[in-house]
């Protein structure tokens, strides 16, 4: 079920537990502002999630409330992850699902990185 992005941040969500180390993840990258790990239900040969360590429900929440430095640092982190995964040569796709129409399921902002093959269709049916 997609989340309601207007709900306040729920610090019992699964990604909050991963950040606190209460649940495991298959970590691929970490820095001061971001954590990246393999998606548990991969939809491509490479499917990594990058999440901010700050408590943000969604892309909307993050871009409204995070300060410029945190937003810039998080963008840099996403780029660091794609380069670490050596996707900068072949290319990749980024996706952020937001709220109901975006079919966001976890109420903590996450950027999907897809790679390892070409993606021909912009938006699936
Ligand atoms: P979204 O629809 O954008 O909210 O995608 C949520 C993604 O999170 C989905 O691809 C599956 C992934 N996911 C859900 N629970 C877990 C988990 O406990 N661990 C990991 N690694 N990924 C998870």
């Amino acid at each position: 079920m997609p989340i309601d992005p207007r709900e306040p941040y729920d610090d019992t969500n699964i990604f909050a537990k991963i950040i606190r180390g209460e649940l495991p993840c298959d970590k691929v990258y970490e820095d001061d502002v971001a954590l990246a790990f393999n998606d548990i239900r991969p939809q491509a040969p490479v499917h990594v999630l990058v999440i901010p360590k700050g408590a943000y429900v969604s892309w909307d929440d993050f871009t409204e409330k995070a300060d410029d430095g945190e937003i810039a640092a998080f963008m840099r982190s996403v780029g660091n992850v794609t380069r670490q995964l050596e996707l900068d040569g072949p290319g990749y796709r980024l996706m952020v699902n937001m709220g109901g129409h975006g079919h966001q399921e976890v109420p903590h902002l996450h950027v999907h990185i897809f790679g390892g093959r070409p993606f021909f269709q912009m938006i699936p049916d």
Side-chain angles (χ1 to χ4, degrees), residues 14-15 37-41 97 103-106 110 112:
I14 204 120
F15 292 169
F37 49 86
N38 286 309
D39 194 291
I40 207 165
R41 295 193 304 266
N97 297 323
H103 208 86
Q104 180 183 357
E105 292 186 311
V106 179
H110 45 286
H112 294 258

Side-chain angles (χ1 to χ4, degrees), residues 27-121:
K27 183 165 76 175
V28 301
Y29 175 93
E30 183 171 14
D31 63 24
D32 288 347
V33 298
L35 177 66
F37 49 86
N38 286 309
D39 194 291
I40 207 165
R41 295 193 304 266
Q43 297 186 46
V46 177
H47 186 174
V48 168
L49 302 174
V50 191
I51 65 175
K53 289 183 173 176
Y56 300 102
V57 176
S58 67
W59 177 263
D60 183 76
D61 192 33
F62 183 62
T63 55
E64 184 181 20
K65 295 185 185 146
D67 67 30
D68 290 358
E70 190 173 3
I71 291 172
F74 183 68
M75 291 293 109
R76 182 85 70 192
S77 303
V78 175
N80 289 342
V81 177
T82 55
R83 284 184 290 277
Q84 179 181 299
L85 295 169
E86 300 184 345
L87 297 175
D88 48 317
Y92 53 89
R93 180 166 288 178
L94 301 180
M95 187 168 79
V96 177
N97 297 323
M98 157 58 205
H101 281 186
H103 208 86
Q104 180 183 357
E105 292 186 311
V106 179
H108 182 111
L109 169 62
H110 45 286
V111 175
H112 294 258
I113 299 172
F114 298 106
R117 68 169 175 84
F119 301 102
F120 298 106
Q121 205 178 355

